[in-house]
Amino acid sequence: MVNWAQMYDWHSDVDRVPELLDRLEHGDEDEAWTELGRRLILEHDLVSPAGIAALPRLVRLASGSTKARHLAGEIMERAAVHHGGDELLADSADAIAEFGILLDRHLQSRPADYLVTFRALLAVQEQYHWANVLGDFTDDFYDLPCPHCATQVTIAIGDYGRYSAIRDWNLGDVDRRDLRPTPDDELAGVGRWMHEVAVRDGEFGLAEGISHIFGKAECPRCASVFTIADEYEAANCPVLR
């Protein structure tokens, strides 16, 4: 049972979020959804304690509400940051598992919000980093240090090319080297799972991008070869509590 008297939102209130949830359980109101989002999520980076507390009720609404599904997904994507609701998050395990089933079912309908849903499912799977950075691979760049010489390397995966390069302020991406995607049958771990889901749902552009981001790149400076996802995660993953 949630003790709302201790669940502050980003306006420092403890009573407004349950009031808004009560309203939304009786009807879809754009104004109420907008206010609720502002009280639960701050600047798209942080989630309030009230946001964690609201998850089970949002999940119950999510089967019939796109707004609820999106808001619950945004909260899950921020679940790795400090929010003061660790016990509530643990207590919401059943609701989060239910949310994962709902999201997976929605993905199989090949919806217009596929990437948003895919990222929310990654968060449910506790892949918080990829949930926050994964793009659609039409115009994606990832910057990371070479693990051998520490040179800053730009990884490009998009319609314009798939390469590693050194980014020059005046010249753009120079000394490009083609990426080496991992063959489908050699993918492992979360990369394999992500790829299989994308292929299952006919999202072949996304699947190809995943093969590249979980593939290998050559450093243009020292010519060493490294696994992109491993080095990017090492440089950028949040430290989980």
Side-chain angles (χ1 to χ4, degrees), residues 137-152:
F137 298 114
T138 58
D139 189 28
D140 290 11
F141 294 92
Y142 300 85
D143 294 316
L144 53 83
C146 169
H148 301 280
C149 71
T151 296
Q152 194 73 4

Side-chain angles (χ1 to χ4, degrees), residues 121-139:
L121 184 57
L122 280 168
V124 167
Q125 298 294 328
E126 298 187 355
Q127 296 295 326
Y128 300 113
H129 174 65
W130 293 115
N132 280 277
V133 303
L134 190 72
D136 61 3
F137 298 114
T138 58
D139 189 28

